[in-house]
Amino acid sequence: MATLVARVISIPVIALLVRVLDEQAFGQYSYLVGFTGLFAPLAVLGLPAYMSREVVQQRERAPMLLKTAYVLEMVFSAVTVLVMLGLGGFDWLLFLCAVGTVGGATSTLFQNAIIGLNRSQVTAAVQVVVSLFNNLLFLAVVFFKPELTAAVWVFALVGVFQHLIGYVAFRRYIKEVWFARDWPGLSDYQAVLRGSLPYLAVSLLATLYFRIDIVLLEGWSTLEQVARYSAAYKFMEIGNLLIGLVGGVFFAELSNLYAKGRQDVGRVMQRGVRYIVLITLPLAVCASFYARDILYVFYGDKYLQSEPILQMLAWTSVLLAVRNLQGGLVLTYNYVWIQVAVFGGSTVLNIGLNYLLIPSWGGLGAGAATLICEAANCLAFGWFIQLKFGLPMVERWLFPTLLALGAMLGVLHLAAALPAVAGLLLGVVTFGGVLYLVGGLLPEDSETLHTLMAWFARERSK
């Protein structure tokens, strides 16, 4: 909850930054962050995802695994910065972005390990502190120096700060696991690299898949299109971060169930998919229907051209949330190469679609490519899960959910003349009411609600 509050607070700060930077500067900033982000997996080598699983399933070796992983990250971080500068041409702003990207990426080693040890409240606290630090610095940029250079400096400082505070939080609050006293041997490095290799492949493909659109827009379109796409995508970035946090906690829970030999791991994933759809679907409808209002509230008249892009990306968030949980089950059973195959295929598809759509449609074409690829990812993972585990992704709850969705869309169209707040309230109430009336709420939901309330009570008492 604290992380959610911090992310919500960051929305108006980001909006102010986008308002004060001109389109060229914001487009250049988005391109620099996107370009350096493509290389982030080379700095971390898939080690954060690897460690989130291994600290649970190899508890006695966790100290040596953690130290080995950290040494590898430090070495490859330096190499990655040099690679970025070599390919992008040495530039001071590019160097700063490279440092910020590497700092933020390597901090996830500590955060993922913390989540794997079922101490997500520590990670949430880190995220809150980093978000507040980020917001304060960007507010200083907005009011005192609204320029590209200042924004890039903030990005670099926040990345370094995120790494440092992640390190300190792990050292202070995770007493049961810390770096081994001895230095890793050659066999330790070989074992960790061999174990993380599949995760590196997944991370490389996933990063290429998510980041390539900005870079391709800069190459095949204009900086103005980069700015318009990025303005819409800023809302999705916040949603995606929250989805990623939920997915990380979910993965840790599935890993714990698997380590205990529980047989209901797949069923827990199915239940999670249902709840994430019930939450994200009405939110996506509201974001799509009121996209123009959202853009106007945060950016004024500056980025109203981004309306169709935001509408497209809003629906993408639902598919992304489902795919995140599907991927958690696949990783729990260590079918990492399935993720490699799926992301490899969707990355090729994404580049091909961007090549076809960006020259004519600009940012809207990039958004359409992302939507199509996320649908393909969900179908691919769903097919594998049903084939391997016998767990169908389409269950009987989907029909009542679609009925509730149709009713919500109808009410929103009828209430189009009303203020947006009234329309939103009517839409959400309609969705929940119709879902209840057509039997979309299941007997297990009350048990889940009680479990969640008990969990929140425990978290508050810590």
Side-chain angles (χ1 to χ4, degrees), residues 18-177:
V18 176
R19 277 189 180 222
V20 298
L21 292 178
D22 63 69
E23 261 191 338
Q24 286 284 328
F26 180 56
Q28 184 67 15
Y29 173 81
S30 300
Y31 169 72
L32 287 170
V33 172
F35 176 78
T36 55
L38 285 175
F39 299 91
L42 297 179
V44 297
L45 302 171
L47 293 167
Y50 172 74
M51 286 302 301
S52 69
R53 185 178 190 272
E54 298 308 313
V55 292
V56 176
Q57 301 194 10
Q58 297 191 61
R59 197 65 171 262
E60 69 286 350
R61 293 192 61 227
M64 182 56 75
L65 290 173
L66 186 65
K67 188 169 187 176
T68 305
Y70 189 67
V71 172
L72 286 170
E73 278 198 349
M74 292 301 97
V75 172
F76 278 87
S77 291
V79 173
T80 301
V81 171
L82 294 177
V83 170
M84 292 181 198
L85 296 177
L87 294 176
F90 184 81
D91 178 84
W92 184 243
L93 293 181
L94 179 61
F95 173 74
L96 289 175
C97 275
V99 170
T101 295
V102 166
T106 51
S107 74
T108 57
L109 176 69
F110 304 110
Q111 296 184 43
N112 281 33
I114 291 169
I115 291 173
L117 293 166
N118 236 2
R119 301 284 295 280
S120 57
Q121 70 275 11
V122 177
T123 299
V126 168
Q127 292 285 343
V128 169
V129 173
V130 171
S131 182
L132 291 175
F133 182 73
N134 178 77
N135 289 338
L136 287 174
L137 290 186
F138 272 124
L139 280 174
V141 171
V142 169
F143 291 111
F144 301 109
K145 201 172 181 62
E147 298 174 359
L148 172 63
T149 302
V152 172
W153 265 105
V154 169
F155 180 79
L157 290 173
V158 170
V160 173
F161 178 75
Q162 187 174 351
H163 180 96
L164 292 175
I165 196 171
Y167 180 97
V168 171
F170 196 101
R171 184 73 179 91
R172 181 176 178 82
Y173 297 106
I174 311 299
K175 302 291 187 182
E176 64 270 31
V177 178

Side-chain angles (χ1 to χ4, degrees), residues 305-326:
Q305 305 97 321
S306 300
E307 179 186 2
I309 302 174
L310 180 56
Q311 290 174 324
M312 190 80 67
L313 294 174
W315 293 103
T316 303
S317 64
V318 181
L319 298 170
L320 177 64
V322 171
R323 190 262 295 163
N324 208 318
L325 298 191
Q326 291 174 325

